[in-house]
Amino acid sequence: MASSERTKRGNPRKSRLARFPTSFMWGSFEFEPTEDDWRRIETAYPFLSPADRDEISRMATDYLRRVPFESYAPKAVDAMAWLVEVEKAATVFWNAGHKRASNEEKELAVTYARCLVERHIGHRLLPRGSEWYALTGIMAHVVAAFASAKCEMEKDARAGFVEGQMWDELVCQLTDFAKQRVYPFSASKGVDKTSDRTSPFIGLVRELQNTFPEECRRHTASDMALAEAIAVARRKRPTEG
């Protein structure tokens, strides 16, 4: 078992927070089990033929290459927090810029201050002599853009990465693999009464992911926790037709 070199940024925390459909990571993990790893897998699930290793390797490789992107995809909650903070500041600026003074004397003072600001803005994209009004007009569009951006952000998050989704897909692929070969695929949370052991399929998933880098493993607290996660992954799978 090994992984390729990649930039270390610490192990990502497992989270079900909504994430955006974009991610970036340097390098990827490779599936490189040792012969001892295979023996443990085949002892836990003693139905595998030598030819089955290739198919299991394909599924595991695909999982390890894709799963890190779930963890490193940016969280919608972080983006929303930034957007709300900047939106508040922009709204305060816009409201203050349009607030009328309480009397004529104060209004003249505000006008004087505004003229000084206009003099020092001096941006080539703002019309000379009316920089302030152009700026506040731009800010009106900016404030409106924040509201639209928040709506779009929520939509993007619903279509984004969900941490644990790749693991669920791997479990469903392994389930299909077992069904197609008429191998046992039940994942009871109890023990097999005839042998006092957990279901072989649970053993397959457990020993297979024990060959993965630690940050790519899930539901490792116990066989019962693993069985429950397998059941949940299968329930969440979209039905065909």
Side-chain angles (χ1 to χ4, degrees), residues 46-59:
F47 312 96
L48 299 174
S49 69
D52 290 332
R53 287 189 180 188
D54 288 342
E55 182 61 16
I56 291 175
S57 294
R58 183 196 63 77
M59 290 184 283

Side-chain angles (χ1 to χ4, degrees), residues 100-101 104-118 132-133:
R100 300 293 297 180
E104 185 176 350
E105 182 180 356
K106 290 184 178 180
E107 182 64 28
L108 286 173
V110 169
T111 300
Y112 187 89
R114 188 166 59 233
C115 288
L116 290 177
V117 173
E118 287 184 329
W132 180 260
Y133 293 103

